[in-house]
Amino acid sequence: MTPSPSLSLTDRTPLANQVAGHDGVMSDASGSLVIKPALAREIAFYQTLNSSDREDPIRRLKPFVPKFLGTLRLEGQLSSAGDVQRLEGKEEVPESVVLENLSYAFTHPSILDVKLGTVLYDPDASEEKKQRMDKQARETTTHELGIRFTGCTTWHAPTQSYILTPKSFGKSIKPAQLPEGMVRFFPSSSDSIASLLPPTPPADRSVEGAPAVSVDTSGGIPPTPITASNSTSVPSEGQTYKDHSIPSTLLVKVLNIILEEIDRLVSVLSELEIRFVGGSLLIVYEGDPEKLTEASDRYELNKLKAAHAEGEERSAFSDDGSNPSDDDESEEDEDEEDEEARAARKCPPVRVKMIDFAHTWLAQGEGPDQGVLKGLATLRGLIEGRKREIEG
């Protein structure tokens, strides 16, 4: 396959809908890409996964990882005249990975970031860091259960705002309080959820002196999905959210899809000898009940088609984790349909992906990552428990 030409990005903005992670994660002007500073190990992981063939066991992980589109390095700064001024010491500027924005195709994405694993440090970390990270793991739910909530945002349609659950929540709760996080992320219509954050002014998304960057898009130019609403309204201190708009029956469907995806992921990870220190599982679902219903119906239809074609039950997601369009759409209809409508038709009700691979490496002969598998088992149990509560 001929490599795609370089993609030139002339402006960048802070990533919208980021619920956890480090500062410095950016997006392109359209919002469809994530531009994340990366260590060599993370870049190598994405490149290895992207170049794997179908016989390679790691290939099975690809549907559970954001689509990798290449690497980026800051080349210079745009002057007021539009010229590129080269940066001194450019070779010292870290590279970034360019990934699909997992929340971009959703109208109002609800997003949960869960850190997986029982160990938070590399084997080659300093003794001081090992002790510090081990202390953090033991003081949170990480060491005992293999997960820690690192933040979530949940769309609340009645107030047209997001329920914000900060990182401090996950660091402060005990194992017995983990179900509270499930309620905050998967609220039923009768739940009352308190705001955990005081009001803050909206972020200034304007960027002056936009940097000139070049992107190696050997992984392919991404499609342009539907534009998501990125406006986040921070609630007043002490506010309580009620009257959540997603019906219980629809919320149970969302939970069932997530459970299916976790089971598929566990099946893959159980056969891979890889360590994912500091990695997370990102769960995104559509917060708009009407859009979620449409996406759920498409998912069920595609699942039936896939099962019929294969003679067995399998995921309705395509290999890249998207919701494939209906097969009965004619090429003429697609030509008349704009890009946003096509992307909306492919938008899944849910996405379940592993993210953050700065401390990921192959561990041949050491077996699967039991800490990550333990975390997924914990998360699965929490989702099952939430499902029983809603069905109650």
Side-chain angles (χ1 to χ4, degrees), residues 71-127:
T71 59
L72 169 153
R73 186 184 293 275
L74 184 66
E75 297 287 352
Q77 194 80 16
L78 283 180
S79 68
S80 58
D83 299 325
V84 176
Q85 299 174 344
R86 306 292 291 184
L87 292 179
E88 294 296 329
K90 183 174 74 68
E91 65 280 355
E92 299 177 5
V93 178
E95 278 190 288
S96 295
V97 288
V98 182
L99 310 169
E100 65 170 327
N101 184 348
L102 296 173
S103 67
Y104 183 61
F106 296 84
T107 304
H108 294 298
S110 291
I111 308 171
L112 170 66
D113 186 309
V114 177
K115 189 171 290 294
L116 297 173
T118 55
V119 177
L120 300 177
Y121 57 82
D122 290 344
D124 56 356
S126 67
E127 196 59 36

Side-chain angles (χ1 to χ4, degrees), residues 39 44 90 116 194 227 236 243 305 320 332:
L39 299 175
K90 183 174 74 68
L116 297 173
T227 302
S236 301
D243 305 318
K305 288 180 178 179
D320 64 358
E332 182 178 350

Side-chain angles (χ1 to χ4, degrees), residues 186-188 191 247-249 251-252 255 385-392:
F186 300 112
S188 64
D191 288 315
S248 295
T249 53
L251 195 55
V252 167
L255 295 173
R386 184 62 186 140
K387 178 184 169 184
R388 289 192 296 268
E389 290 172 353
I390 295 171
E391 291 175 328

Side-chain angles (χ1 to χ4, degrees), residues 44-54 56 59 62:
F45 168 80
Y46 278 112
Q47 290 174 336
T48 298
L49 183 62
N50 223 42
S51 62
S52 62
D53 56 38
R54 293 191 176 276
D56 194 329
R59 177 83 173 195
K62 200 168 183 180

Side-chain angles (χ1 to χ4, degrees), residues 269-286:
L269 294 181
S270 296
E271 298 180 2
L272 293 180
E273 295 182 313
I274 304 179
R275 294 296 176 267
F276 300 96
V277 173
S280 293
L281 191 73
L282 196 76
I283 299 176
V284 187
Y285 72 90
E286 176 57 64

